[in-house]
């Protein structure tokens, strides 16, 4: 597999970009429709056993990832900004109804740019501290998000 | 002065409620129009030397409070939810454009309820940790927010 995603680091931010060979409304759907999200969100051999997405500013999300050993890891978050087919911003700093989470770790800014019918896909993953950005890198951000972007591209190719 | 505000503590949250003898659109204006906000936001003898309010979800705010000695203390934040005359939610977890702040300290949920032409005013001040809630209380939350609510009521009475 040719690596097609580029990742980089800027201060407290981790960035992934790649071109996805599909129109951006399909990529947006894959990020917001639970049945599609579950097909690509966790880097294989991990899987996504549950996804709930109340895709509006202030709406909550719940995504449960399952390890190869069968352990489940729920992640709760809140959407901060939703611009259909263009932009999606969410954070784990809140669970739902602006309830502060146990630990604000990251805020993700996704942009979907139209490039000749395909999608310029950029994920900016911002952390509150450099230490958290470093921790995210040690958890495997660069390889993991690139793999998930590949899985995402495969899912949207079938839509 | 009869204390007219009630404050309470619930876990990581501090709550202030009081009735303000004015319709809620005036109270909402006093929270969102810089020239009005500056008249009541800081507990006297502190003053508010600057206020900028981009009152929309994702919009930034900058409020500078000035101590009696003339020192200035800027606070930056972002509005999370804006429902005209009804509800205003903001946090210092972000500065602007979803840039994580140095320290997520609090999220404030303001509700303005119509009660026979007057306003049931409630501020829910949520913190990420019990330690931060306690620190806020030691900074004088209960007396300070009650005094500011009184100043707010005096400003809206003149509108």
């Amino acid at each position: 597999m040719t690596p097609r995603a580029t990742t980089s680091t800027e201060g407290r931010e981790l960035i992934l970009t790649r071109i996805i060979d599909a129109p951006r409304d399909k990529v947006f759907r894959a990020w917001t429709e639970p049945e599609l999200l579950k097909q690509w969100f966790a880097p294989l051999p991990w899987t996504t056993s549950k996804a709930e997405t109340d895709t509006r500013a202030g709406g909550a999300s719940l995504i449960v990832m399952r390890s190869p050993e069968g352990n489940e890891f729920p992640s709760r978050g809140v959407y901060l900004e939703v611009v259909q087919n263009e932009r999606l911003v969410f954070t784990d700093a809140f669970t739902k109804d602006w309830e502060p989470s146990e630990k604000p770790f990251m805020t993700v800014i996704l942009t979907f740019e139209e490039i000749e019918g395909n999608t310029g896909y950029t994920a900016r993953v911002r952390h509150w501290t450099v230490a958290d950005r470093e921790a995210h890198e040690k958890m495997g951000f660069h390889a993991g998000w690139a793999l998930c972007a590949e899985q995402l591209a495969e899912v949207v190719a079938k839509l």
Side-chain angles (χ1 to χ4, degrees), chain A:
Chain A
M1 182 183 89
T2 312
R4 302 182 57 188
T6 305
T7 61
S8 59
T9 301
E10 283 179 18
R12 301 182 295 176
E13 186 166 305
L14 298 168
I15 305 164
L16 172 137
T17 57
R18 72 165 275 172
I19 304 287
I20 293 178
D21 298 335
R24 59 186 182 170
D25 63 297
K26 292 187 178 177
V27 185
F28 188 84
R29 281 181 57 200
W31 258 103
T32 53
E33 293 181 16
E35 288 314 310
L36 297 178
L37 192 94
K38 285 163 71 175
Q39 295 174 39
W40 67 268
F41 187 81
L44 283 167
W46 285 59
T47 55
T48 305
S49 53
K50 187 171 187 176
E52 296 174 0
T53 57
D54 182 7
T55 319
R56 58 184 175 86
S61 68
L62 167 62
I63 298 178
V64 180
M65 291 202 283
R66 189 196 296 258
S67 74
E69 295 78 27
N71 297 314
E72 298 209 312
F73 297 85
S75 304
R76 291 181 187 276
V78 162
Y79 296 100
L80 296 171
E81 196 180 328
V82 179
V83 184
Q84 184 88 15
N85 299 340
E86 288 183 24
R87 187 173 158 88
L88 194 62
V89 183
F90 55 92
T91 183
D92 60 10
F94 300 98
T95 51
K96 61 182 174 73
D97 301 330
W98 309 120
E99 185 68 37
S101 64
E102 218 168 288
K103 155 82 178 161
F105 180 70
M106 66 176 178
T107 297
V108 179
I109 302 173
L110 302 175
T111 51
F112 311 99
E113 191 191 353
E114 209 221 295
I115 301 177
E116 298 175 358
N118 293 320
T119 303
Y121 170 61
T122 302
R124 296 181 174 274
V125 184
R126 294 180 173 167
H127 306 79
W128 271 272
T129 64
V130 169
D132 283 346
R133 186 265 294 158
E134 288 171 350
H136 205 168
E137 290 186 288
K138 284 181 186 151
M139 286 158 61
F141 171 85
H142 297 281
W145 279 62
L147 174 55
C148 289
E150 182 63 28
Q151 295 174 178
L152 167 63
E154 286 166 14
V155 167
V156 298
K158 286 181 275 178
L159 290 180

